[in-house]
Amino acid sequence: HYFIQSNLRMTLTPSPSTFNLQTLVPEGDKVKKSNNSLYFILKLIILCSVWYCSSAVNSIMLKKCLTAFPYPLTLTVVQFMGCALFCFPLLKYMNIGGSLVISRGLLITGILPLSLGKVSAVFFATVSIGNIPVSYSNTIKASLPIFSVLFSRVILHQRHSFHIYFSLLVIISGVVISSFTEVLFDLAGFITAILSTMSTALLSVYAKKSMIDNNMHYLLMLYYVSVSSLVFILPLWIFQEATRSPVSIEETGVMGGMPNFLPTLLTIAVSNFSQNVAAFGFLSLVTPVSYSVANCMKRVFTIITSLIILQNPVTQTNLMGMVTAIAGVALYNKAKYDESGSQRPSILPTHVRKSPLSKPRILENGGSEKTQTSLVITEDMNSYSRSSFQASNKLFHT
């Protein structure tokens, strides 16, 4: 009896030094796990490729379009309208959100503030791309951690380690070098790029401070924010550009006139929607640090692609500034990871294991009752930070 109890206890609580999990896994399960791993890797590669390519295409097409068609409000409306129109059939096909009706409280305290921040971030980013090279615009956007740390210190009273502040100095050095050596420097483009980055950082801090307490699928949130952003920007667009932009296309024959210009607008809308969905999908599969590294590499990919396709003049010193800024972002991501790791209580488990015998019930709007995911909007509606946690009936999106 004692021998059976001892072996049962050893089986249930094996020693890490002697227990080998592979001896208890049947060959069929090993093959199945291997296939699942290959499928997971393939899925990551596809999502990452779509994310990188669509982001580069969106930036390059915006630059080409704004060079001949200086109407940033129109292109901002096109991007939001594309997200709203493409999200709607996808939500219906995936049966997410039901009737797509949300409460007034959630709309006022959650969606509308996020939409206001999103409108300013996208509009200023579009204006900056029209005035300065894509490579330089992305270098300035690398200063996002500077404003995130500043706003979190002022609003959330958060303190950070020395390594965080050192990485910010590296980022500042890179942006300053790029600014002083940029051949096509434009003050309006520089200011709007800074304003876009500040809007994104403030949006992120606000999202962290006032979480949206609701079970909401990320596609549903993208749809709500896009529709609300359209409501904010459409009156301004109608007053400023609605009557002038079509006339400008016909009179100047920009990009071959309206027949050729409409496919360009469609490409911008599709690429913007694709990079949002791909970024969300990639985020749902990886850790926050992996996502931050991938986002940093996406910026490098966009800079290199724009330099090759658009043939922007760049000096060695200017290129060194870009590399320095990107390296500073990488150091910041590493410092944030080390900082969060040092603050984690050692008595708590470092991972959550779900029971293989029970599956969480999927809610009508795409949420889950068991393991939930917290999303923090940070950049381009495609830059997010994820942390999984165990909750009984809550899903927080910020």
Side-chain angles (χ1 to χ4, degrees), residues 174-235:
V175 173
V176 170
I177 293 173
S178 296
S179 299
F180 277 102
T181 59
E182 177 58 48
V183 178
L184 302 176
F185 179 83
D186 181 83
L187 183 60
F190 173 79
I191 293 176
T192 50
I194 290 292
L195 289 175
S196 173
T197 307
M198 290 178 62
S199 299
T200 303
L202 188 60
L203 179 65
S204 173
V205 174
Y206 168 79
K208 293 177 184 178
K209 188 174 179 63
S210 55
M211 290 183 173
I212 302 176
D213 183 7
N214 189 69
N215 289 322
M216 186 181 296
H217 194 276
Y218 62 83
L219 284 177
L220 194 59
M221 170 173 277
L222 180 61
Y223 173 76
Y224 287 143
V225 171
S226 300
V227 172
S228 301
S229 299
L230 276 175
V231 172
F232 285 127
I233 201 171
L234 275 177

Side-chain angles (χ1 to χ4, degrees), residues 126-138:
T126 304
V127 174
S128 69
I129 289 179
N131 288 275
I132 57 178
V134 174
S135 56
Y136 181 45
S137 176
N138 276 270

